C-alpha cells in the first residue's frame, strides 16, 4: 500500500473499495445477462426460421413432378400481406425457381444458390434497410429457402440491453447507497467511542497516576490498544508514585535534622553567637527547601489544569512575607487590577515562584529599601526593588541553577531564581530581569501576548 | 494548660518538650499515632501539637478520625513544608493552625497561645500586646492602666488585629469579618475604619502600631 493510501481515512478507503466491489458485482452479472439474452434472441430467430421452412416442406408435394406447393389459405395470406417480411423460395438442384412467395424472393434464391443446406445466412435487401435473416433446408431432391426480416433486428437487442442496464442501475444505486450508509453509520458509532477514549486521554493530567481508560463500547479491534495504554499508564503512575514518595521521604529526612538544629540553637542564651547560628540554620533550611522544590519539579510534570487568579495568589504570597519585610524596616506595596487575572496552571507552583522572587529581593537589597509587586492583565507579575540592580551581563545567567551574581550576598542559595524560571516555563511564560527606571531591579514573569 | 505532644523524632521532641515546659505548659509526649489516639480519647488535654508523619500512620488521618468522633480541642500541626502541594493550604483553611519545620520554639508557643484564645473557649481571655490589652468577654480595652472607649466596629477590628498580631490581614478578610453579607459597603470603608482605630490608639498612647501595606493589607505589631 502506498504511503498516500495509508494516510487516507478508513471511511474513504472503504467507500472506494465498496464502490469497486459493487460496480463489478452488479454490472458484471448484468453484462452476462445481456449476452445471454442476445443469444436467446438469436436462437429464437433460428428456430422461427426452421419452423417456417418446415411449414413449406410439409406442404410441398414432392411426389409430383415438378413438385406442387399447396399452402393453407391462412399461411399463404400471411406471406402475401407480410410486405416482404417473410419470404420463401423452392429450388431444384439446378437452382431454378419452382415456387416463390413474391418476386422479392428471387434475391433470396440467388443468394441461396451459394449456400449449403442447414446454414443460416443474411440476404441484403436491394432497397436497403436491415437485411433478411435466411435459412435453407432440403425437401427430397429440392431445396427450400426461407427468410424473414424487420422484426427481430438490432433495435430489439438494443432495447433489451438498455432495459437491463437501467434495471441494474436502478437496483445497484440504492444498494450502493444503503451499503455506504450502513458502513458509515457503523464506523461513526465505533469512532464515537474512540473519540470518547481520546477525550479521556486528553483529560489525563501529569499527576493523574490512577488514570484509566474505559474500554466499554469499543470495537474489539481497538480494545487491545486501550488495554496497552492502560498498562503504560499504570507503569507511569507507579514510577510517578515512587518519585513522589522519594521526595516526600527526602523532605522529611532532610528537614528533621535542620529542625533539631534550629530548636537546639533556640535553647542557647541570646547573643551574637545565637543570632549568627540562627542565620546559618535559616540558610541551610532554605537550601534544603529549594533543593526539594527543584527535585520535585524535575521528578514529574505538574498538573497544569487549575484556573489560578494571579492577583489572589500574589497577594497571599506577599502577605505571608510582609512581616519579614516590616522587620527589615521595608515598605511593601502591591498594585493590581480590581478584578481577577486568571491563568491556567498550577497554583502551588505559581505561589512558590512569587515567594521566591520576593525572597530574592529581600535577600539582595539593603534593609529599609522598598519592595513593590505588580500584577498586570498582560498577564504578568513584577517584583520591583531599589537595590543595586543586576548587571546586564548577568541578566540571563542569573536564572540558571547555582549561577549567583558575583555581587550577591552569601545568604542566597543560587536556586530560587532557577525555580522561578522553571515554573514560568512550565506555564508558557518567561522569567526575566530588567533595570527598573529610577534604579533597582525589575524581575518579571510574563505570559505571551494573548493574540 | 495540659498539652499533648505527638512527635516521633526523639531529639526534636525532647527540645520541644523542654521549650514548651519553659513556656508554662504541662507536656505529655507520645511518639506513635496509636498512643496519640489513645491519649486523645482519654480527653484531658487543652491543646495538642501533632506531627503529621508518624511511624504507624498519618497524623492528618488520625486528626480527621478524632474530629469526626467529636474532638474539639485546638490542634497545632507540625509539617515539613511542601511548597508544591496544596496540603498546607488545606490545613490553613481547616481552621487549625500549622507550623512549618524547621521552626523556632517561640513561634510554636506564640501560635499555641493564639489557638487558646479562640472564641470557642468558654472563658474570656485577655489578649495583651505591648501596653494594649483586650478582654474578649466583656470587650474592655486598656492602654497601660487606662480604659479606651471604641465603637462596636472598631472593637471588632481591634480584636481581629490582636488575635492575628504580626500577621497580615487583607482587606477582604476584614470586610468578611466585620460586615454583613448583604451590607452596602463603600470601597474605602475599611481604610476609614483602620484610620480611625489607628488615631484612637495613638491618641491613647498605645505602643502597638497598625502598618499599612498598600494593595496587600494591614498588620499590627509591637516593634520598637
Amino acid at each position: 500500500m502506498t504511503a498516500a493510501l495509508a494516510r487516507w481515512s478508513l471511511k474513504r478507503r472503504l467507500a472506494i473499495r465498496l464502490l469497486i466491489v459493487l460496480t463489478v458485482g452488479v454490472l458484471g452479472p448484468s453484462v452476462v445477462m445481456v449476452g445471454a439474452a442476445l443469444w436467446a434472441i438469436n436462437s429464437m430467430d433460428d428456430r422461427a426460421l426452421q419452423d417456417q421452412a418446415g411449414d413449406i416442406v410439409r406442404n410441398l408435394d414432392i411426389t409430383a413432378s415438378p413438385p406442387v406447393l399447396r399452402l393453407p389459405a391462412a399461411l399463404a395470406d400471411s406471406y402475401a400481406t407480410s410486405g416482404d417480411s417473410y419470404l420463401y423460395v423452392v429450388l431444384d438442384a439446378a437452382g431454378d425457381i419452382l415456387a416463390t412467395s413474391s418476386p422479392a424472393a428471387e434475391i433470396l434464391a440467388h443468394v441461396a444458390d451459394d449456400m449449403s443446406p442447414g446454414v443460416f445466412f443474411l440476404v441484403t435487401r436491394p432497397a436497403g434497410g436491415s437485411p433478411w435473416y435466411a435459412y435453407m433446408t432440403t425437401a427430397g431432391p429440392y431445396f427450400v429457402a426461407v427468410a424473414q426480416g424487420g422484426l427481430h433486428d438490432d433495435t430489439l437487442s438494443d432495447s433489451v440491453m438498455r432495459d437491463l442496464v437501467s434495471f441494474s442501475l436502478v437496483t445497484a444505486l440504492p444498494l450502493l447507497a444503503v451499503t455506504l450508509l450502513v458502513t458509515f453509520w457503523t464506523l461513526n458509532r465505533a469512532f464515537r467511542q474512540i473519540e470518547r477514549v481520546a477525550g479521556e486521554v486528553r483529560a489525563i493530567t501529569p499527576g493523574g497516576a490512577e488514570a484509566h481508560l474505559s474500554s466499554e463500547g469499543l470495537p474489539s479491534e481497538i480494545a487491545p490498544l486501550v488495554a496497552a495504554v492502560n498498562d503504560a499508564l499504570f507503569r507511569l503512575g507507579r514510577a510517578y508514585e515512587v518519585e513522589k514518595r522519594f521526595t516526600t521521604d527526602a523532605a522529611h529526612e532532610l528537614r528533621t535534622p535542620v529542625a533539631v538544629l534550629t530548636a537546639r540553637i533556640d535553647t542557647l542564651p541570646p547573643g551574637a553567637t545565637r543570632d549568627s547560628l540562627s542565620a546559618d540554620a535559616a540558610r541551610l533550611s532554605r537550601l534544603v527547601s529549594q533543593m526539594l522544590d527543584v527535585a520535585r519539579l524535575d521528578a514529574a510534570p505538574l498538573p497544569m489544569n487549575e484556573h489560578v487568579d494571579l492577583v489572589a495568589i500574589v497577594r497571599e504570597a506577599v502577605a505571608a512575607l510582609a512581616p519579614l519585610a516590616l522587620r527589615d524596616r521595608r515598605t511593601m506595596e502591591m498594585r493590581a487590577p480590581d478584578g481577577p487575572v486568571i491563568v491556567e496552571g498550577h497554583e502551588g507552583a505559581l505561589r512558590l515562584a512569587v515567594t521566591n522572587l520576593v525572597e530574592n529581593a529581600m535577600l539582595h537589597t539593603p534593609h529599609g529599601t522598598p519592595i513593590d509587586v505588580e500584577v498586570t492583565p498582560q498577564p504578568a507579575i513584577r517584583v520591583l526593588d531599589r537595590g543595586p540592580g543586576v548587571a546586564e551581563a548577568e541578566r540571563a545567567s542569573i536564572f540558571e541553577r547555582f549561577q549567583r551574581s558575583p555581587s550577591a550576598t552569601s545568604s542566597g542559595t543560587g536556586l530560587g531564581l532557577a525555580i522561578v524560571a522553571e515554573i514560568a516555563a512550565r506555564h508558557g511564560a518567561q522569567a526575566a530581569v530588567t533595570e527598573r527606571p529610577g534604579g533597582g531591579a525589575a524581575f518579571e514573569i510574563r505570559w505571551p501576548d494573548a493574540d | 494548660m495540659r498539652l499533648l505532644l505527638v512527635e516521633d523524632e526523639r531529639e526534636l521532641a525532647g527540645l520541644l518538650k523542654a521549650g514548651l515546659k519553659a513556656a508554662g505548659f504541662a507536656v505529655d509526649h507520645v511518639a506513635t499515632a496509636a498512643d496519640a489516639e489513645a491519649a486523645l480519647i482519654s480527653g484531658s488535654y487543652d491543646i495538642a501539637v501533632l506531627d503529621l508523619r508518624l511511624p504507624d500512620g498519618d497524623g492528618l488521618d488520625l486528626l480527621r478520625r478524632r474530629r469526626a468522633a467529636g474532638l474539639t480541642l485546638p490542634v497545632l500541626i507540625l509539617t515539613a513544608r511542601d511548597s508544591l502541594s496544596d496540603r498546607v493550604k488545606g490545613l490553613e483553611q481547616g481552621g487549625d493552625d500549622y507550623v512549618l519545620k524547621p521552626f523556632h520554639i517561640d513561634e510554636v508557643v506564640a501560635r499555641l497561645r493564639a489557638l487558646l484564645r479562640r472564641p470557642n473557649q468558654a472563658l474570656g481571655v485577655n489578649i495583651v500586646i505591648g501596653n494594649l490589652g483586650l478582654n474578649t468577654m466583656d470587650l474592655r480595652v486598656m492602654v497601660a492602666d487606662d480604659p479606651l472607649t471604641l465603637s462596636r466596629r472598631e472593637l471588632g477590628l481591634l480584636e481581629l488585629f490582636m488575635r492575628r498580631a504580626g500577621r497580615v490581614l487583607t482587606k477582604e478578610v476584614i470586610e468578611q469579618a466585620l460586615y454583613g453579607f448583604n451590607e452596602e459597603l463603600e470601597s474605602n470603608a475599611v481604610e476609614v475604619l483602620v484610620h480611625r482605630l489607628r488615631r484612637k490608639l495613638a491618641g491613647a498612647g498605645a505602643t502597638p502600631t497598625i502598618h499599612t501595606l498598600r494593595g496587600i493589607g494591614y498588620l499590627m505589631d509591637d516593634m520598637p
Side-chain angles (χ1 to χ4, degrees):
Chain A
M1 192 177 297
T2 64
L5 189 57
R7 275 198 304 275
W8 282 7
S9 81
L10 198 51
K11 284 183 197 170
R12 191 166 161 191
R13 285 187 228 177
L14 271 174
I16 286 174
R17 284 169 197 188
L18 280 173
L19 203 61
I20 293 169
V21 166
L22 282 173
T23 307
V24 171
V26 172
L27 293 186
S30 302
V31 169
V32 171
M33 274 165 69
V34 168
L38 288 179
W39 181 82
I41 287 167
N42 279 335
S43 65
M44 257 162 59
D45 284 348
D46 292 354
R47 256 200 317 279
L49 275 175
Q50 281 170 335
D51 288 350
Q52 195 184 336
D55 282 342
I56 303 296
V57 169
R58 248 193 321 280
N59 292 302
L60 187 66
D61 181 3
I62 57 167
T63 57
S65 184
V68 181
L69 179 65
R70 281 188 213 86
L71 286 181
L75 190 56
D77 199 42
S78 297
Y79 277 110
T81 57
S82 73
D84 292 337
S85 284
Y86 295 87
L87 301 174
Y88 68 83
V89 63
V90 180
L91 304 165
D92 62 14
D96 291 330
I97 295 169
L98 300 177
T100 179
S101 59
S102 69
E106 282 176 31
I107 301 157
L108 173 61
H110 186 71
V111 176
D113 260 357
D114 300 332
M115 299 294 162
S116 352
V119 300
F120 296 90
F121 55 95
L122 289 173
V123 178
T124 312
R125 282 180 196 251
S130 57
W132 285 288
Y133 191 42
Y135 173 69
M136 186 160 73
T137 186
T138 55
Y142 309 102
F143 297 91
V144 172
V146 294
Q148 44 178 270
L151 261 184
H152 297 163
D153 59 7
D154 290 345
T155 48
L156 178 62
S157 54
D158 280 355
S159 82
V160 166
M161 202 58 153
R162 249 199 319 278
D163 283 356
L164 274 170
V165 168
S166 59
F167 174 75
S168 306
L169 288 180
V170 163
T171 41
L173 283 180
L175 185 62
L176 182 63
V178 167
T179 307
L180 288 180
L181 274 177
V182 169
T183 307
F184 287 177
W185 178 72
T186 309
L187 286 178
N188 272 336
R189 278 176 65 92
F191 285 148
R192 260 208 300 280
Q193 295 303 320
I194 294 173
E195 187 49 43
R196 173 185 59 73
V197 173
E200 288 180 19
V201 173
R202 273 194 294 274
I204 295 175
T205 55
E210 66 290 334
H212 182 85
L213 307 178
S214 96
S215 57
E216 196 187 325
L218 278 181
S220 57
E221 293 87 342
I222 307 292
L225 178 63
V226 170
V229 170
N230 276 336
D231 277 354
L233 284 174
F234 178 73
R235 288 196 300 272
L236 284 175
R238 218 171 33 187
Y240 177 76
E241 276 305 308
V242 168
E243 283 287 359
K244 217 165 84 175
R245 176 151 320 148
F246 174 77
T247 49
T248 309
D249 289 349
H252 181 76
E253 295 307 324
L254 289 169
R255 284 199 180 104
T256 302
V258 180
V260 171
L261 178 65
T262 305
R264 208 184 290 288
I265 290 169
D266 282 350
T267 64
L268 295 176
T273 309
R274 190 174 91 162
D275 289 350
S276 61
L277 283 177
S278 207
D280 291 345
R283 186 176 165 211
L284 187 59
S285 163
R286 198 158 50 239
L287 181 63
V288 164
S289 287
Q290 294 190 335
M291 292 285 271
L292 290 168
D293 291 338
V294 167
R296 209 164 289 136
L297 280 173
D298 286 349
L302 294 172
M304 302 287 287
N305 50 2
E306 296 171 321
H307 293 284
V308 184
D309 177 10
L310 290 184
V311 176
I313 63 136
V314 169
R315 182 168 287 135
E316 212 176 292
V318 170
L321 291 170
L324 292 176
L326 285 173
R327 191 198 58 197
D328 295 344
R329 299 177 311 282
R330 296 175 188 278
T331 59
M332 258 187 139
E333 180 174 344
M334 178 172 156
R335 288 181 287 272
D338 284 338
V341 175
I342 304 291
V343 297
E344 188 101 341
H346 188 278
E347 185 177 319
L350 286 170
R351 195 186 295 112
L352 175 63
V354 177
T355 301
N356 282 4
L357 280 184
V358 176
E359 277 180 348
N360 180 68
M362 295 201 301
L363 283 171
H364 299 297
T365 62
H367 289 188
T369 60
I371 294 172
D372 294 337
V373 181
E374 287 178 356
V375 176
T376 65
Q378 164 91 21
I381 301 168
R382 266 192 286 278
V383 176
L384 312 162
D385 66 46
R386 289 292 184 201
V390 179
E392 200 148 356
E394 295 166 13
R395 283 179 193 167
S397 62
I398 199 173
F399 288 101
E400 289 166 21
R401 285 176 190 176
F402 300 117
Q403 288 295 314
R404 297 169 52 214
S405 153
S407 53
T409 57
S410 63
S411 46
T413 63
L415 283 174
L417 292 177
I419 293 167
V420 172
E422 176 72 25
I423 291 171
R426 297 278 177 93
H427 285 80
Q430 211 182 356
V433 59
T434 53
E435 194 178 332
R436 184 185 187 186
F443 282 87
E444 172 177 75
I445 299 173
R446 177 192 280 268
W447 275 256
D449 292 314
D451 53 283
Chain B
M1 288 285 180
R2 277 177 56 101
L3 182 147
L4 178 68
L5 172 63
V6 187
E7 168 63 67
D8 64 319
E9 283 298 326
R10 205 175 41 80
E11 263 184 294
L12 192 59
L15 289 161
L16 255 176
K17 194 172 172 180
L20 293 173
K21 270 184 174 160
F25 289 97
V27 182
D28 281 354
H29 170 228
V30 294
T32 64
D35 289 350
E37 187 146 24
L40 284 172
I41 289 169
S42 82
S44 55
Y45 295 97
D46 300 301
I47 195 161
V49 175
L50 177 65
D51 183 19
L52 285 190
R53 196 188 164 100
L54 296 167
D56 57 341
D58 183 50
L60 215 52
D61 289 343
L62 162 68
L63 183 58
R64 216 174 285 125
R65 216 160 43 238
R66 292 323 305 158
R67 285 282 191 234
L71 179 80
T72 56
L73 69 81
V75 176
L76 178 70
I77 284 164
L78 300 179
T79 174
R81 181 172 82 141
D82 190 352
S83 314
L84 288 176
S85 96
D86 288 332
R87 200 173 196 204
V88 165
K89 202 173 163 237
L91 296 177
E92 207 175 6
Q93 289 165 346
D96 281 304
D97 208 351
Y98 68 97
V99 171
L100 299 174
K101 282 183 183 178
F103 45 77
H104 290 285
I105 304 259
D106 293 351
E107 178 73 6
V108 175
V109 170
R111 296 292 177 92
L112 287 171
R113 293 217 165 109
L115 280 179
L116 287 167
R117 290 186 212 123
R118 289 265 164 105
N120 63 349
Q121 301 294 300
L123 294 171
V125 287
N126 276 305
I127 310 174
V128 179
I129 297 171
N131 66 354
L132 181 65
L134 170 70
N135 184 297
T136 59
M137 271 303 274
D138 59 14
L139 295 178
R140 268 188 318 167
V141 181
M142 303 292 285
V143 176
D145 293 324
D146 303 319
L148 173 66
T149 310
L150 296 175
S151 73
R152 186 176 59 82
R153 279 241 161 85
E154 289 162 355
L155 266 173
L157 182 61
L158 181 66
E159 185 176 348
L160 211 54
F161 272 131
M162 292 185 74
R163 284 192 186 283
R164 304 203 47 186
R167 289 202 259 176
V168 173
L169 290 173
T170 63
K171 193 173 143 186
E172 289 73 35
V173 166
I174 296 173
E175 279 174 359
Q176 278 164 25
L178 296 188
Y179 299 91
F181 215 46
N182 298 317
E183 214 162 330
E184 281 293 323
L185 208 54
E186 295 288 328
S187 64
N188 63 347
V190 170
E191 280 136 69
V192 171
L193 184 64
V194 169
H195 179 74
R196 279 211 313 264
L197 178 63
R198 186 187 275 141
R199 212 181 46 208
K200 283 192 182 178
L201 290 177
T207 54
T209 41
I210 299 172
H211 302 272
T212 300
L213 296 146
R214 283 179 57 195
I216 305 164
Y218 305 92
L219 176 151
M220 175 183 271
D221 66 11
D222 186 41
M223 273 192 295

